[in-house]
Amino acid sequence: MYDDRDSVSRTIDWLTVLLFAICVIAGWLNIFAAVYDPEAKQNIFSMSLNSGRQLLWIGCAVFIILVILLLDYKFYEFFAYIIYGVVLIALIGVLALARDVNGAKSWFEIGSIRIQPSEFAKFATALALAKYMGRVGVRFDQLRTQITCAILLGVPALLILIQNDTGSTMVFSAFILVLYREGLTPWVLILGAFAIFVFVLALIVPQLYLVLGIAAVGLIVIGLTPKKTFKNIALVLAGCLLIAGVAIGVDKIVNDVMLPHQRARIMVLFDPMVDLHGVGWQVIQSKIAIGSGGLAGKGFLEGTQTKLNYVPEQSTDFIFCTIGEEHGWIGSLIIISLFIGLFCRIIYLAERQKDRFARIYGYSVASIIFIHFFVNIGMAIGLLPVIGIPLPFFSYGGSSLWSFTILLFIFLKLDAHRNQMTARY
Amino acid sequence: MREGRQYVVMGIFIAVGVVFLIRLFFLQVVDTSYRSAAENNAILKVTQYPTRGQIYDRKGKLIVINAPVYDIMMIPKKVKIEDTLAFCRVMGLTRSGFDSLFRVARASKAYSRVKPYPFLKQVSNVDFARIQGALVDYPGFYATARTIRSYPKKVMANTLGYIGEISKKKLEAPGQTYYKQGDYVGISGIESSYEEELRGKRGVRYVLVDVKGVEKGSFKSGQMDTSAVSGEALTSSIDIDLQQYAETLMMNKVGSVVAIEPSTGEILTMVSSPTYDPNMLTGREFPINFGPLQKDPLIPLYNRPIQAVYRPGSIFKLVQSLVGLQQGSLTTTAHLPDVGPMGCHHHSGAHNGLHNAIQFSCNVYFYQAFRQYIYHKETGNTFKDSERGLMRWRDAISKFGFGRTLGIDLPNEKRGFVPDTSFFNRVYGKGSWKFSNWYSMAIGEGELGVVPLQMANLAAIIANRGYYYTPHLIKGVGKEGKIDSKYTTRNYVGVESDKFQVVVDAMADVVRAGTARLAIIDSITVCGKTGTSENKKGKDHSVFICFAPKDNPKIAVAVYVENAGFGGVIAAPIASLIMEKYIKGEVNKKRKPLEKSLIEKSFMPELPKPTSIVVSKKDTTIVKKEMKVVKKDTVVKQAEEPVLVREIKSNR
């Protein structure tokens, strides 16, 4: 046996820690750039600025990391359900107690400190899922397992949806990747991608053309089918009907069921002029800011488009605008590579675990961070609808920084002790 | 087979990254329309500066106004000057001044060929009248109006204070979020203490501009704009005519005058001499004049009424009488032994009680009175009794405002000095000093230090028979005329009002038949007390405090004239003329010769030969040494030709 504390510093994956640190520091500098007012003399450390406060949050995050690393690695698995239960209670509590902030009831307010339980639901759910699926004898091809997983993931997702926090709910779709790794049929991924495709088509192509198009494609497929048996033709027709149904359904949902602000967020994706003074404005400004960065960018603090506080999410959800504007395509390349590198590293680490609990948790970490990255940058560059979701480690805010830190470092702690864990399958 | 799925997952991650990078490549590198959109679509934050509040005197006359000045702006790219000499003539520039202006402009950080740059700042109304007509002939130049402070009466410089660009220290002070670099703020005087009321509230306008800086309309149809709110007007308690009169009387003298309306605590006049013309520190004048004013050996930037600490002199006998009467260690009739370390130079042996002692300012009487005050209810140990007596006395006179700041609405008020036991412990060692070490405070000498404002306040306390309102210069802020409640609260000094009778009567006799007969005013009973404050450096200072009329007083005055000798000769008549002017509206013809002789009297100290300060400067408009020192001459000499800029130095 060797000293526990000593072992962490020797066995922790320093490459991941380095990637994490680069992200956090780059994020902090960009937060300063986003709030920087060239007219005023400002100090990056000033507590009246977001950058100064972010530094405080970073300090807290370092403290959290130390606590995580000092706790026994068995703690996380042992307490996984309890943590999950506590977070569920908090999610219910926030519905009862929280005040409406911008239409969402997702913040606990204790004095001047605001805590968002949905941020902590991410790692709690990941722990619970990993613990359940890591059990000896749990096989994903059993219906019972599938239903249990659906409940484990569905309950927090539903509670967050009731809070009117669409962005955080969407994050739970990240677990599809985890389940896929553990045996979920690839059809779910393919169907999902296809559904998104149809969804987009339904929104940009008028309904009549879409139906005619589907019919045309159906006829071509039938024409090309080598064996024109009744069964094959019926299958193609049924598929076409299903697609047409989905397309019409999407149209109906968007126009009749969705609330105006949700509809606006989706419609501006295709035509920003739809909502010029609201979300559309953000999308246009965001694209102009990033687009004006050029290849090499305008330079640190030299941006002109992201310098005024007229977009409220300048340093939170739209932080990527500042990166794109001031550091150009090269800066974007570096940041995106940094993230992809981090994801692949986590997957690599997850695969080397002997213990299923640690592996599943690792996949959850990579997927959750990935989905944030995907939605946030996709939104900033106009590929995805405007959904309020932070860019991990970059966006301003204590709750989100801490939640990603906790998420990642629990995994690094587990990884550091991988040799002490016994394989259970 | 499932192990292979890790590559699918990684593949998805990488695919998304690649899609993003391709999208970004088109957005940022291939498609240049976003770049031009950014150029055509910059949002300019235009600050709307509020006008600073103006200041009125107690009769509604404007004493601080905002005068229009003009910045001549240029857009370098559009500038076309065909005849440089003609241009210089119009603009009031020398040829070298013209060149240096351009040199500085190009070196400036804010300089851009396409953006407006302030070519000439703060051109006065007169100069602008000449420039305006010709401006159309020079493309690339235009004028914007703004305002600077202006003082039509040219008086009360130190009290009004001045404004200037915000200091780095203040800009970076913690919690400071309002000011931005280059903002003007009140730096001293009323301008500083009422900065928040005077400054108003900045507004902001967001406009869309293209790359050439041309406005293309308001942003979000003006939803986010805020309009500027003008600063509040202030109503001062100063009587500007009286102020001007008092400054005239104090010409060629070093010292101060403070006049207070006892029934309100409003300051009617506050003179610090030597002074300067407040217009010297506005706009373009500031950089020329500030340095010389600051280096002047007579320190005209020093506000003597609240900052100059003097020994109170014999005037302090009034305080000694009052606290003694209140404590019971002194009675109005008791005759005190005519022995002590001080003689009595005013009268011979006729010690007829307190009244007489005040009237003739008897030193030995007050030595005995102070001794009895300190040793009141003695225990036998003179060291212990001295300690307790000192602290008791210190508390009593602190209620009169001595040894602490009164709380006037001006920055940098000095508290004067009243020693405590720890002070003497430091000087003599603990337990080894007693009354005999500091008895000279009995007659207002020794360690004591007061500022003129405290002495004027003393006159107001006696005039009110026992209370005062905190002296203040602003009697109303804004339309509603509100002021801080501390200026409308009576402060009692802990001496019962019937104790004041003997002191007031004696003060009346000081003027009627005592040491200050020059203060007599026809048909008005004046109460006063002279003082001659010793000072180590030179001749005694002449001091006088007074109030009038005796019953229902309208005005209380304190006058300090440095190095002018006995109080009854200089300070008393100055105070008297000020009171007469205030109460009657004008000075009786009979006293005109007195007035004239006082104005002509000079008590300016011998100065060491003015060194490098003024003489070496050929370039400035300041020629005469006296011009900053003596009130009358503080008119900045006009250059023969209207030359605005000869040569300027870069700040960087």
Side-chain angles (χ1 to χ4, degrees), chain A residues 37 180 184 186 281 287-288 290 292 294 305 308 324 329 332-333 340 343 347 351 363 370 374 381, chain B residues 2-3 5-6 8 10 13-14 16 20-21 23-25 27-29 34 38 41 43 45 172 180 219:
Chain A
D37 181 347
Y180 166 72
L184 188 70
W281 175 260
K287 278 159 83 173
I288 289 176
I290 294 171
S292 66
Q305 304 299 301
L308 299 160
W329 189 75
S332 309
L333 174 74
I340 302 299
F343 302 147
I347 296 295
E351 286 295 337
Y363 263 84
F370 167 73
F374 175 62
I381 59 181
Chain B
R2 280 188 204 157
E3 275 66 36
R5 288 187 172 187
Q6 61 170 299
V8 176
M10 286 192 199
F13 292 166
I14 292 166
V16 165
F20 281 181
L21 283 174
R23 166 76 174 180
L24 280 164
F25 190 76
L27 208 61
Q28 298 186 296
V29 184
Y34 289 109
N41 186 11
I43 295 166
K45 198 168 146 192
E172 287 166 3
K180 301 209 183 310
F219 170 61

Side-chain angles (χ1 to χ4, degrees), chain A residues 37 39-41 48 177 180-186 189 277 281 285 287-288 290-295 298 305 308 310 320 324 328-329 332-333 336 340 343-344 347-348 351 363 366-367 370 373-374 377-378 381-383, chain B residues 2-3 5-10 12-14 16-29 31 34-35 37-39 41-45 47 49 168 171-172 176-177 179-181 206 208 219-221 223-224:
Chain A
D37 181 347
E39 272 179 52
K41 264 201 152 336
S48 62
L177 283 177
Y180 166 72
R181 167 63 184 83
E182 294 304 314
L184 188 70
T185 162
L189 285 184
H277 288 313
W281 175 260
Q285 289 305 314
K287 278 159 83 173
I288 289 176
I290 294 171
S292 66
L295 185 67
K298 299 175 186 171
Q305 304 299 301
L308 299 160
Y310 60 87
F320 192 74
W329 189 75
S332 309
L333 174 74
I336 288 173
I340 302 299
F343 302 147
C344 293
I347 296 295
Y348 168 79
E351 286 295 337
Y363 263 84
S367 308
F370 167 73
F373 160 86
F374 175 62
I377 296 183
I381 59 181
L383 287 177
Chain B
R2 280 188 204 157
E3 275 66 36
R5 288 187 172 187
Q6 61 170 299
Y7 301 111
V8 176
V9 174
M10 286 192 199
I12 292 172
F13 292 166
I14 292 166
V16 165
V18 169
V19 168
F20 281 181
L21 283 174
I22 292 170
R23 166 76 174 180
L24 280 164
F25 190 76
F26 278 97
L27 208 61
Q28 298 186 296
V29 184
D31 191 343
Y34 289 109
R35 228 163 303 160
E39 283 172 351
N41 186 11
I43 295 166
L44 201 65
K45 198 168 146 192
T47 309
Y49 287 96
K168 202 173 172 217
L171 192 65
E172 287 166 3
Q176 192 291 108
T177 53
Y179 296 105
K180 301 209 183 310
Q181 190 157 33
Y206 293 91
L208 293 168
F219 170 61
K220 283 202 178 178
S221 46
Q223 276 175 44
M224 322 217 9

